Short mmCIF file of all heavy atoms in Angstrom, two decimals:
data_model
loop_
_atom_site.label_atom_id
_atom_site.label_comp_id
_atom_site.label_asym_id
_atom_site.label_seq_id
_atom_site.Cartn_x
_atom_site.Cartn_y
_atom_site.Cartn_z
N ASP A 109 104.96 31.10 100.30
CA ASP A 109 104.07 32.30 100.51
C ASP A 109 104.99 33.47 100.83
O ASP A 109 104.59 34.63 100.54
CB ASP A 109 102.99 32.04 101.44
CG ASP A 109 102.06 31.12 100.93
OD1 ASP A 109 101.94 30.68 99.81
OD2 ASP A 109 101.32 30.50 101.82
N SER A 110 106.01 33.22 101.63
CA SER A 110 106.87 34.30 102.11
C SER A 110 107.81 34.93 101.10
O SER A 110 108.30 36.04 101.28
CB SER A 110 107.62 33.89 103.40
OG SER A 110 108.54 32.98 102.98
N GLY A 111 108.15 34.14 100.09
CA GLY A 111 109.10 34.50 99.16
C GLY A 111 110.54 34.45 99.55
O GLY A 111 111.43 34.66 98.93
N HIS A 112 110.72 33.84 100.78
CA HIS A 112 112.14 33.69 101.25
C HIS A 112 112.86 32.37 100.75
O HIS A 112 114.05 32.28 100.81
CB HIS A 112 112.11 33.60 102.80
CG HIS A 112 111.72 34.77 103.49
ND1 HIS A 112 110.71 34.78 104.46
CD2 HIS A 112 112.13 35.98 103.33
CE1 HIS A 112 110.55 36.02 104.80
NE2 HIS A 112 111.38 36.85 104.28
N CYS A 113 112.03 31.46 100.21
CA CYS A 113 112.57 30.15 99.81
C CYS A 113 112.39 29.95 98.32
O CYS A 113 111.42 30.50 97.77
CB CYS A 113 111.93 29.06 100.57
SG CYS A 113 112.19 29.20 102.33
N GLY A 114 113.29 29.17 97.72
CA GLY A 114 113.02 28.89 96.35
C GLY A 114 112.10 27.80 96.04
O GLY A 114 111.13 27.53 96.88
N TYR A 115 112.08 27.16 94.90
CA TYR A 115 110.97 26.21 94.46
C TYR A 115 111.12 24.95 95.39
O TYR A 115 109.96 24.38 95.49
CB TYR A 115 111.34 25.84 93.02
CG TYR A 115 110.43 24.78 92.47
CD1 TYR A 115 109.15 25.34 92.04
CD2 TYR A 115 110.62 23.52 92.23
CE1 TYR A 115 108.18 24.43 91.57
CE2 TYR A 115 109.74 22.67 91.77
CZ TYR A 115 108.48 23.06 91.43
OH TYR A 115 107.51 22.11 90.84
N ASP A 116 112.20 24.63 95.89
CA ASP A 116 112.15 23.36 96.76
C ASP A 116 111.72 23.54 98.19
O ASP A 116 111.60 22.73 98.96
CB ASP A 116 113.61 22.83 96.77
CG ASP A 116 114.58 23.75 97.33
OD1 ASP A 116 114.27 24.89 97.63
OD2 ASP A 116 115.76 23.35 97.56
N ASN A 117 111.39 24.80 98.57
CA ASN A 117 110.90 25.23 99.89
C ASN A 117 111.81 24.80 100.97
O ASN A 117 111.34 24.58 102.08
CB ASN A 117 109.48 24.64 100.07
CG ASN A 117 108.50 25.42 99.38
OD1 ASN A 117 108.51 26.67 99.36
ND2 ASN A 117 107.41 24.78 98.90
N VAL A 118 113.16 24.85 100.77
CA VAL A 118 114.06 24.55 101.79
C VAL A 118 114.77 25.95 102.08
O VAL A 118 115.26 26.69 101.17
CB VAL A 118 115.21 23.56 101.34
CG1 VAL A 118 116.24 23.43 102.47
CG2 VAL A 118 114.55 22.30 101.01
N PRO A 119 114.63 26.41 103.41
CA PRO A 119 115.21 27.61 103.77
C PRO A 119 116.70 27.68 103.44
O PRO A 119 117.49 26.63 103.73
CB PRO A 119 114.91 27.80 105.22
CG PRO A 119 114.15 26.71 105.54
CD PRO A 119 114.07 25.75 104.49
N PRO A 120 117.26 29.03 103.14
CA PRO A 120 118.73 29.00 102.95
C PRO A 120 119.55 28.78 104.08
O PRO A 120 120.73 28.39 104.05
CB PRO A 120 118.89 30.51 102.43
CG PRO A 120 117.66 31.21 102.80
CD PRO A 120 116.54 30.14 102.92
N TRP A 121 119.00 28.90 105.35
CA TRP A 121 119.66 28.62 106.57
C TRP A 121 119.76 27.17 106.97
O TRP A 121 120.38 26.80 107.87
CB TRP A 121 119.20 29.43 107.74
CG TRP A 121 117.75 29.41 107.90
CD1 TRP A 121 116.77 30.26 107.53
CD2 TRP A 121 116.96 28.34 108.57
NE1 TRP A 121 115.59 29.88 107.79
CE2 TRP A 121 115.66 28.68 108.52
CE3 TRP A 121 117.32 27.20 109.30
CZ2 TRP A 121 114.59 27.92 109.08
CZ3 TRP A 121 116.31 26.46 109.92
CH2 TRP A 121 115.01 26.79 109.87
N TRP A 122 119.04 26.31 106.27
CA TRP A 122 118.89 24.83 106.60
C TRP A 122 120.43 24.34 106.38
O TRP A 122 120.83 24.30 105.28
CB TRP A 122 117.90 24.15 105.84
CG TRP A 122 117.77 22.66 106.20
CD1 TRP A 122 118.09 21.57 105.49
CD2 TRP A 122 117.22 22.18 107.39
NE1 TRP A 122 117.90 20.47 106.13
CE2 TRP A 122 117.31 20.79 107.32
CE3 TRP A 122 116.70 22.84 108.53
CZ2 TRP A 122 116.94 19.93 108.34
CZ3 TRP A 122 116.30 22.03 109.56
CH2 TRP A 122 116.43 20.60 109.49
N PRO A 123 120.94 23.63 107.47
CA PRO A 123 122.37 23.24 107.39
C PRO A 123 122.50 21.87 106.57
O PRO A 123 123.70 21.66 106.29
CB PRO A 123 122.72 23.06 108.85
CG PRO A 123 121.33 22.69 109.58
CD PRO A 123 120.37 23.51 108.79
N LEU A 124 121.45 21.11 106.37
CA LEU A 124 121.80 19.84 105.81
C LEU A 124 121.18 19.74 104.34
O LEU A 124 120.26 20.43 104.04
CB LEU A 124 120.97 18.75 106.69
CG LEU A 124 121.19 18.72 108.20
CD1 LEU A 124 120.33 17.81 108.76
CD2 LEU A 124 122.76 18.25 108.26
#
Side-chain angles (χ1 to χ4, degrees):
D109 293 344
S110 67
H112 294 127
C113 302
Y115 182 72
D116 59 354
N117 282 324
V118 176
W121 51 263
W122 183 251
L124 305 172

